[in-house]
Amino acid sequence: MGFAPGTRIGPFIIDARIGAGGMGEVYRATDSRLKRQVAIKVLPPLFAADADRLARLHRDAVLLAALIHPPLAAMSGLEDADGVKALVMELVEGIDLAERIASGPIPFDEALLIAKQIAEALEAAHERGIIHRDLKPANIKVRPDGAVKVLDFGLAKLGDDEAASRSQPGAAAVLPTITSPAMLSAVGMVLGTAAYMSPEQARGYPADKRADIWAFGVVVFEMLSGRRLFTGDTISDTLASVLKTEPDWHLLPSTLDTRLRALLRWCLEKDPKRRLRDIGDARVQIDNLLAGRADEDAPHLSAPIAPTWKRVLPWTAAGVLAVAVAAMLVLWAPRRTASAVPPFRLSTRIGADASVVFTPVDALSISPHGDVIAFVAQNAPGAAALLYVRRLTQVQATPLAGTDDAESPFFSADGQWIGYFARGMLKKVAVTGGASVALCEAPIPRGGSWDGNDSIVLLPNRTGGLVRVSAAGGTPEPVTSILLGNEELTHRWPQVLPGGKGVLFTTGSRTANATGYNDGTILAQSPSGARTVVVRGGYHGQYLPTGHVVYIHDGTLFAQPFDLDRLEPDGPAVPVLEGVISNAGTASAQFSISADGTLVYLPGPSIAGPAVPIHWMRQDGKTTPLRATRAAWDNLQFAPAGDRLAMQITDRQSDIWVYDLARDLITPVTADPADDTVPVWTPDGRQLAFASTRGGRKIANLYLQLADGTGGAERLTESPNAQRPSSWHPGGRYLAFEEVVPPGQSDVMILPMGGDVGSGGKPGKPTPFVNSAAHERQPAFSPDGRWLAFVSDQSRRDEVYVRPFPGPGGQSQISASGGMFPTWSRTRHEIFYSSGTATGAGSRQFMVVSYAVVEGSFRAQKPILWSTAPHQTRGPQRMFDLHPDGMRFAVAPLDDAEIARNVDHVSVFFNFFDELRRLAPRSR
């Protein structure tokens, strides 16, 4: 049905069709009586002929006409003339929000102003018991002056209808919703509406005001991302996406305020019982953001939005401290037999003129008694990270001198000591300060746990199981061993279970996909060595006195009821807290829970896994896409001509791939059913050396294959030790590589090729180039072949050094405060390396050192920061390479959780155990 210009409907003269809305066609018309222009929506005959629906619409129209609020397009009447039924509404000039989003993401400040007005419109309607039920960008107009009007309450319904629909079976089916597609005429309109339906609407269940809150979250998400959140080729596909697909939070701007990100998560809870209940709360939070109020002046949105009685707490700095002190006086009272206050949470400043350093390892821990937080922080970018302690009854935190480069703190069982990792060692320091005590070597900080016998369980090196060492220091003894038949990765983030019941830890599989430790396994091992699976699909488990194991999956804290005596699960796992900063690549997580039920955590996003795109990064820190497709790649290396990029990609197994930059085409080089890793181009760009576990071996040796993937792979070495290629001499006669020598240290080795690569000469016998008692690796030849750079921890910290090749001669230290992955420029006398101090979650910065050769001696200048922008790191894997032009890097882009941020707040959840028992009751 359509109406030509000039058609009269009662006193209204049609001027032009301006679109289709819910339940009808919309026209611009002139009111001949009042000489004004209006918008009228002509209802389809099917609707107009239904007496029950028309009566309901008439009743709702009366109420909507009385609903006067600036962001709402006013309804002025329901016209019935010449057999045509039409709604008469305010005519709103401007573009609709769908058109605005189609041109790209909306800037943050503009999006906030629009979101505020949408929230105000919904709030006004909800206060009158009216629910929109069809909120979408096409129903929101933005006038030229920036004012927003929410349109099309034609699908709106009264809250009372919800009660009727619950009490009358099938009542929901007759309501004018998208579940009656005959009501609508355009397929595109149907799909658009379906994309904004709440999960309960998609299932055909009754919808209340929380359905509008869901749609509000979808609309705001799309404003900020410029992308449709839920899509599908058909209505069914779109509804399935709403029901099953989780939002891709990576689509949001990386600089988005964490409070708004948390608000969106709360609006987009699929379970309406866990969703934000009042749109007014969203409007208040947006007001706070627009006003630039600091966290201490407004509720902190990284945690779930609190009920009204909690929101009215005085959120000034003094008020927060007063609440914390009052809570602690009650919660920590001796011989407390019952919870004196209900569970509540607050956000508080860490109390130091510094920022928390949330690297790929843990950054904070709370003491067993819940009265002290230990955390790692730095007071300036590039400064050494120190341990700080903060008593929650005090305002200020105290740095502990002598704890430079600290990582992964944890408390002793009595709360008097803090264990931590620094410069390749496990150390301890008293909570009150003093000298740090080195206990044993531990080059990889993946957590420690103090038991009641004053010993510590930890992961000592990059491979293998857990060990136990006396808290007084000594020789570590094995606790767990890697089960090679299961292809396990390292055992990490241990917790000694109470009562000598055993140890809890996280492991992963070498065949895990790109989600990292989100596919990890949490195991419990008894003192006899027997193991049970506690969790599949999670990491960083912690047993609690409530009889639960809490763990992380995709940034959410889950609780698994657990029988300590049988070391077995005791009921289904449930989510208990969203938005915990965590890293699925290393299985680290920024939370800690005391024995009395106080939870501390850093709120924010999660690094979901190792699958990332590749970007260019220039010195100004700006990045642009190089390869947009996400993959679980590592160990990039440009071909000598700079036209191709070799990498390893892991998907069940690791293989070597080559990406052609000009053609945007990636092709496999290897396909053997083994792990092929760490590609290194030959100087002529024809072949790649790589490490491989071919032949059913668990240990990788060196191979060589044509870069186009043709021909077979030539074996270069045969050794019982694991090897990784690193750099070719520019003449092609030598390959520098690293070899792991038991009990876990690496040496820099040189493999002579018996002639230029490709000449047919047989590889000679590898010889050590650097094989001290230290851990040496990552060798890199200079462009002229006269020097070899490498990394060594001989100073108890990874530093970059240079030696003449083939020697003799002494070495020059290049880095000043730690460094990894030395990289020579081919166009200037410069060496780049990755900084030794982390700047954020899984990120470091590029340093550059100019050098000269004076009378045969290597003279290095002072290291300087090449760019203030951070780059992603992932343990021993090289996540970048310098293009041969010396001007730009290929890097992994950083999401919110990886960018260095000024994290100066911590969230504290008091009486968390009471909340846990409510959300995850045990079966017995």
Side-chain angles (χ1 to χ4, degrees), residues 614-617 626 633-638 645-647 679 778 800 819-824 831-835 844-847 866 870-883 888-893:
I614 305 174
H615 280 201
W616 290 113
M617 188 174 90
L626 192 166
W633 59 263
D634 295 291
N635 298 310
L636 295 178
Q637 191 175 82
F638 280 106
L645 190 59
M647 68 192 80
Q778 302 167 8
V800 176
M820 302 173 66
F821 303 114
T823 305
W824 299 83
I831 301 178
F832 294 86
Y833 64 89
S834 186
S835 64
R844 297 176 186 270
Q845 292 170 296
F846 288 122
M847 307 296 293
W866 181 73
H871 63 273
Q872 186 180 146
T873 60
R874 190 180 297 156
Q877 311 306 324
R878 180 185 171 96
M879 296 295 292
F880 66 87
D881 195 32
L882 178 68
H883 190 269
R888 50 191 173 154
F889 283 88
V891 299

Side-chain angles (χ1 to χ4, degrees), residues 172-183 197 201-205 239:
V174 301
L175 295 176
T177 71
I178 194 63
T179 55
S180 301
M183 299 296 299
M197 291 176 63
Q201 287 175 292
R203 291 188 172 96
Y205 294 161
L239 295 179

Side-chain angles (χ1 to χ4, degrees), residues 145-186:
D145 63 357
V148 170
K149 290 284 186 176
V150 177
L151 315 175
D152 206 0
F153 269 82
L155 286 184
K157 62 189 290 291
L158 293 177
D160 289 342
D161 281 342
E162 297 301 346
S165 66
R166 294 188 185 97
S167 62
Q168 301 174 21
V174 301
L175 295 176
T177 71
I178 194 63
T179 55
S180 301
M183 299 296 299
L184 304 175
S185 59

Side-chain angles (χ1 to χ4, degrees), residues 389-405:
V389 292
R390 159 91 184 273
R391 294 189 180 277
L392 291 183
T393 53
Q394 298 176 347
V395 176
Q396 293 298 320
T398 303
L400 300 182
T403 60
D404 297 46
D405 299 328

Side-chain angles (χ1 to χ4, degrees), residues 191-207:
L191 290 176
T193 299
Y196 302 92
M197 291 176 63
S198 65
E200 58 269 29
Q201 287 175 292
R203 291 188 172 96
Y205 294 161

Side-chain angles (χ1 to χ4, degrees), residues 209 247 315 319 329 370 395 454 555 621 639 668 713 794 797 809 814 823 834:
K209 64 182 182 181
W315 282 93
L329 290 175
V395 176
D454 208 25
Q794 60 187 267
R797 177 170 60 187
I814 303 302
T823 305
S834 186

Side-chain angles (χ1 to χ4, degrees), residues 92 182 279 364 601 683 745 922:
V92 181
I279 193 66
L364 80 168
Y601 67 99
Q745 296 300 100
R922 295 187 59 188

Side-chain angles (χ1 to χ4, degrees), residues 429-748:
V429 64
V431 173
T432 55
S436 292
V437 180
L439 304 180
C440 69
E441 294 186 355
I444 180 167
R446 293 296 183 264
S449 178
W450 222 298
D451 68 15
N453 297 319
D454 208 25
S455 61
I456 297 172
V457 173
L458 70 149
L459 174 67
N461 51 48
R462 287 173 171 81
T463 59
L466 302 172
V467 299
R468 177 180 282 106
V469 67
S470 169
T475 302
E477 299 177 350
V479 175
T480 68
S481 58
I482 296 292
L483 300 181
L484 295 179
N486 294 345
E487 296 190 341
E488 289 181 351
L489 296 173
T490 56
H491 296 167
R492 53 185 62 195
W493 308 113
Q495 182 196 14
V496 177
L497 295 172
K501 299 290 187 178
V503 62
L504 192 73
F505 58 91
T506 298
T507 188
S509 170
R510 297 182 188 276
T511 59
N513 61 26
T515 62
Y517 280 91
N518 279 324
D519 282 336
T521 302
I522 299 173
L523 298 173
Q525 178 173 301
S526 70
S528 68
R531 294 184 184 177
T532 56
V533 174
V534 181
V535 171
R536 293 191 188 277
Y539 57 90
H540 212 289
Q542 182 180 348
Y543 174 79
L544 303 178
T546 56
H548 296 84
V549 169
V550 292
Y551 65 94
I552 292 289
H553 177 87
D554 197 20
T556 294
L557 187 69
F558 282 77
Q560 169 68 69
F562 182 71
D563 189 312
L564 181 62
D565 293 327
R566 296 185 297 132
L567 298 185
E568 293 179 355
D570 187 30
V574 298
V576 293
L577 180 65
E578 284 192 337
V580 179
I581 290 179
S582 47
N583 188 324
T586 61
S588 65
Q590 308 305 331
F591 77 92
S592 181
I593 306 173
S594 69
D596 79 335
T598 302
L599 163 67
V600 296
Y601 67 99
L602 297 182
S606 167
I607 304 173
V612 291
I614 305 174
H615 280 201
W616 290 113
M617 188 174 90
R618 298 184 180 274
Q619 192 169 8
D620 60 7
K622 295 181 179 178
T623 63
T624 55
L626 192 166
R627 181 174 186 257
T629 303
R630 289 176 174 265
W633 59 263
D634 295 291
N635 298 310
L636 295 178
Q637 191 175 82
F638 280 106
D643 58 338
R644 291 165 295 163
L645 190 59
M647 68 192 80
Q648 74 183 58
I649 295 179
T650 302
D651 186 4
R652 300 299 175 186
Q653 70 179 43
S654 295
D655 285 300
I656 306 302
W657 296 69
V658 169
Y659 176 64
D660 187 313
L661 278 66
R663 299 170 63 199
D664 189 25
L665 178 66
I666 190 166
T667 56
V669 177
T670 66
D672 188 89
D675 283 329
D676 298 327
T677 60
V678 200
V680 180
W681 290 96
T682 56
D684 60 7
R686 295 182 60 249
Q687 300 180 83
L688 287 162
F690 58 92
S692 180
T693 58
R694 295 172 183 230
R697 298 167 58 91
K698 299 299 181 183
I699 300 299
N701 283 177
L702 306 185
Y703 288 77
L704 184 69
Q705 184 162 341
L706 289 171
D708 62 6
T710 62
E714 175 190 355
R715 185 165 189 158
L716 300 180
T717 62
E718 187 163 358
S719 171
N721 300 324
Q723 300 169 326
R724 290 166 56 99
S726 188
S727 177
W728 284 96
H729 189 274
R733 293 177 177 268
Y734 304 99
L735 174 63
F737 66 96
E738 60 185 69
E739 180 170 292
V740 177
V741 180
Q745 296 300 100
S746 291
D747 289 338
V748 172

